[in-house]
Amino acid sequence: MVNLIKFPKDLRKMQLLKWLIGPTLFADTPIAPKRTPGHHKFIILGETGVGKSTVINMITNYLRNGSLENIKVAIPSIFYPKVTEKFPFIHSESNIKNRAQAQTQKANEYSFTNGQTKTSMIDTPGLNDTAGMEQDDKNLDIIVDAAINANEISGIVLVLNGTEARITPNIRMLLTRLHATLPDSITDNIVVVMTMCRPDTCNFTDFSQLGI
């Protein structure tokens, strides 16, 4: 099952996030054995510079009761370089001014508790890194290891640049490896988030190329 969100540039449209992190998102779907009740864990995937960290920051802002005047930041970026939220690790962002180079150097899990519901987002290194194919291979291994070590995953959030009409070979290879590694109940639960576009400017329409 593929679900589509065309990610808005307007930060005020955070109501879209309610669909993503709602406590009943996968309530009727058998996810993974021994899944903790009320704990929804997602792994964030995408190429370098598409906005994975921005997606996590928007979810952070929503779950930590932030606003446009008081934005909550989990991961530093060129627009919001100061982190406001504390987590039990130090972020692995490298050069936040270089969007062509992968900023996230390792997988980090950002967890939020809201009443009886816990939501976790696993941020991963981007693909198509300017450091070359060798670095991409390392990043692929980090992503696959993070998915395996997470033990219980509710689903996958695939962040794509909506101005591009086709996926790259790196994304296709990643999805193939995840299909070979993870249960179908996880790889069948994919939310596709389109960034850098509006609904009327999104060029990515052929989901069959994802092979999901």
Side-chain angles (χ1 to χ4, degrees):
M1 177 180 68
V2 180
N3 301 286
L4 171 64
I5 296 177
K6 294 177 181 177
F7 200 63
K9 291 183 179 179
D10 188 347
L11 293 178
R12 289 171 293 185
K13 295 181 180 178
M14 293 181 190
Q15 62 267 26
L16 288 177
L17 298 178
K18 294 181 180 180
W19 184 89
L20 175 62
I21 59 180
T24 60
L25 178 57
F26 295 117
D28 299 326
T29 306
I31 303 298
K34 299 181 180 180
R35 179 174 171 230
T36 305
H39 189 183
H40 307 294
K41 184 180 292 188
F42 304 89
I43 187 164
I44 315 295
L45 307 177
E47 291 193 315
T48 298
V50 298
K52 298 185 303 299
S53 297
T54 299
V55 171
I56 292 176
N57 275 337
M58 286 198 68
I59 294 172
T60 300
N61 197 50
Y62 175 77
L63 290 176
R64 292 285 174 90
N65 298 315
S67 65
L68 286 177
E69 295 73 28
N70 183 27
I71 294 178
K72 307 297 184 181
V73 179
I75 306 172
S77 67
I78 188 172
F79 299 109
Y80 299 100
K82 184 178 180 180
V83 173
T84 64
E85 306 305 292
K86 293 183 178 180
F87 294 91
F89 54 82
I90 299 176
H91 70 82
S92 62
E93 306 300 287
S94 55
N95 182 6
I96 62 175
K97 294 183 179 181
N98 185 356
R99 291 177 59 87
Q101 181 181 13
Q103 305 304 312
T104 305
Q105 303 298 305
K106 62 181 181 179
N108 289 321
E109 183 173 328
Y110 297 84
S111 295
F112 311 88
T113 300
N114 185 7
Q116 300 298 313
T117 300
K118 183 177 181 180
T119 303
S120 296
M121 298 286 168
I122 303 175
D123 193 19
T124 60
L127 298 176
N128 214 12
D129 195 301
T130 54
M133 293 181 61
E134 184 176 347
Q135 185 60 48
D136 270 339
D137 288 339
K138 292 179 180 179
N139 289 346
L140 273 170
D141 290 338
I142 291 174
I143 293 169
V144 173
D145 287 345
I148 295 174
N149 294 333
N151 295 323
E152 45 182 16
I153 297 179
S154 301
I156 296 169
V157 178
L158 179 61
V159 184
L160 299 176
N161 183 343
T163 65
E164 302 289 340
R166 303 192 63 81
I167 63 170
T168 64
N170 280 326
I171 291 295
R172 191 184 305 277
M173 183 186 303
L174 172 60
L175 292 174
T176 298
R177 287 186 61 177
L178 289 176
H179 268 291
T181 304
L182 301 176
D184 289 343
S185 58
I186 294 174
T187 54
D188 285 347
N189 284 329
I190 297 183
V191 175
V192 179
V193 179
M194 296 295 181
T195 62
M196 306 180 189
C197 66
R198 302 188 308 270
D200 60 321
T201 62
C202 182
N203 293 323
F204 192 96
T205 57
D206 182 11
F207 287 91
S208 64
Q209 60 184 300
L210 295 176
I212 52 179

